[in-house]
Amino acid sequence: GISAPVVYFVDYVTNSIYLEDIVDSITVQDHIYSVQRSGNDSSNLLTLAEKMGELLARMHDEDLIHGDLTTSNILIRPPTEKLDLVLIDFGLSFISGLPEDKGVDLYVLEKAFLSTHPDTEMMFKTLLKTYAATSKKSGPVIKKLDEVRLRGRK
Amino acid sequence: MDLTHRLGLFPDCSVTLLLFNRVKNAAALRKKAMEGSIEGALINPAMIVDPFQILVAANKAVHLHKIGKMKTRSLYAEIIFSLSPNNNISDAFKKFGISDGDTAVLIVLVVDREKNVNLEDIASQVEGQQVSLDELPQLTDTAKVKKMYKVTPQEEEISTLLDSIVCRMSTKDVL
């Protein structure tokens, strides 16, 4: 139930994977840049944050750890206004039910978020709020996230 | 009336699909297919949701054929096997190949650029009416397809049936 590019063909000889090309999509990263640059109403960004929180909650509830969550690893299908998100780049992914792994997954995104996009603390807060509301297992995960934040690095 | 596609990764190969309805001699055709006396993969159109599904199967089959790593004994058998979400060859033939009582048949041909294949010759062996591929959706048994590929309701919400199927086809070796 997670939106990701369709795998069309796996070539074990050249070790290549042929994936769907999501035409005219933009990364969440580019979208945030463009909204902030245009000085437009950023409440749409909060809705985006909610959608991201929801998507990640569903992913973690399936015990899937992305491993490299950044705003350039989440695409928005056209038309952008619909905020239809697609997760990409699972090169570092693995399966785990551990709140620690999920907490770290979120921490990586938080660091990437705040270092790439200034003034987005509210966005990430909203993302976490929706994550906690959507995920059935969020309690321990958020707790671990707080612990990891205190530890300062992972 | 028929649909011919070049394979993106194998530009010398073209895949042609011929769809027949009101078929009366499915049993004889199946026998010919088993004997290898008819050119093409004879597929049950009820299990096919879109020509792209066939192209993905054909692409994989051609690839394996070229590197000598097919799991079945012929390219056409390999196409049928590639359609299946699991690795049981005889089950693949039973579910995706044609059965004696079938009234619709989808014939898939793979042709190298040099070879010339006589489509009329093949069509003439079918006692039925050749119809446009636009009629394929009417022949698809969506419920059966969902059951075969084990498509979950959560998937259906965010993706198309075709996408779910293609994913299973292309990643079954890893699972």
Side-chain angles (χ1 to χ4, degrees), chain A residues 15-73:
Chain A
N15 293 324
S16 28
I17 304 179
Y18 292 82
L19 295 165
E20 173 188 8
D21 173 20
I22 315 233
V23 186
D24 294 330
S25 59
I26 71 169
T27 61
V28 165
Q29 182 178 85
D30 289 338
H31 178 66
I32 296 177
Y33 284 157
S34 123
V35 168
Q36 287 184 326
R37 237 190 351 249
S38 71
N40 261 335
D41 176 22
S42 340
S43 67
N44 167 275
L45 286 185
L46 291 184
T47 314
L48 172 60
E50 284 173 7
K51 295 246 170 193
M52 288 170 71
E54 201 193 310
L55 177 65
L56 295 179
R58 285 192 292 127
M59 184 184 76
H60 281 172
D61 277 359
E62 296 288 338
D63 289 348
L64 177 64
I65 311 296
H66 185 279
D68 190 17
L69 282 173
T70 68
T71 51
S72 44
N73 279 340

Side-chain angles (χ1 to χ4, degrees), chain B residues 15-20 33 40-49 53-55 57-58 76-83 92-93 95-99 102-109 136 139 149:
Chain B
V15 180
T16 303
L17 278 66
L18 303 167
L19 183 60
F20 299 89
L42 272 58
I43 293 173
N44 181 359
M47 297 303 288
I48 308 299
V49 308
Q53 188 182 351
I54 301 287
L55 292 180
Y76 290 126
E78 194 73 19
I79 293 178
I80 297 182
F81 176 57
S82 298
L83 285 168
F93 280 121
K95 299 276 164 53
F96 293 90
I98 58 169
S99 309
D102 284 351
T103 55
V105 176
L106 178 64
I107 299 190
V108 179
L109 296 150
L136 181 59
L139 297 169
Y149 288 101

Side-chain angles (χ1 to χ4, degrees), chain A residues 64-136:
Chain A
L64 177 64
I65 311 296
H66 185 279
D68 190 17
L69 282 173
T70 68
T71 51
S72 44
N73 279 340
I74 305 178
L75 301 180
I76 307 178
R77 279 187 204 278
T80 315
E81 312 80 68
K82 274 187 82 184
L83 296 180
D84 190 1
L85 305 180
V86 183
L87 276 176
I88 62 169
D89 201 356
F90 293 87
L92 292 170
S93 306
F94 58 99
I95 304 284
S96 168
L98 297 178
E100 168 90 20
D101 291 327
K102 296 175 186 177
V104 170
D105 218 20
L106 292 174
Y107 182 62
V108 167
L109 178 61
E110 182 176 45
K111 300 278 316 246
F113 225 112
L114 300 177
S115 60
T116 322
H117 304 286
D119 300 322
T120 52
E121 288 82 359
M122 198 59 217
M123 257 195 95
F124 196 77
K125 244 183 153 157
T126 309
L127 188 160
L128 277 186
K129 197 160 159 236
T130 315
Y131 177 94
T134 314
S135 164
K136 305 176 177 98

Side-chain angles (χ1 to χ4, degrees), chain B residues 2-47:
Chain B
D2 54 69
L3 179 73
T4 299
H5 245 275
R6 267 190 202 290
L7 288 179
L9 295 174
F10 307 103
D12 284 339
C13 257
S14 58
V15 180
T16 303
L17 278 66
L18 303 167
L19 183 60
F20 299 89
N21 207 347
R22 288 176 277 287
V23 175
K24 300 199 182 76
N25 64 336
L29 289 172
R30 189 170 81 85
K31 197 150 169 274
K32 281 193 184 185
M34 302 232 286
E35 287 165 2
S37 54
I38 185 168
E39 184 80 12
L42 272 58
I43 293 173
N44 181 359
M47 297 303 288

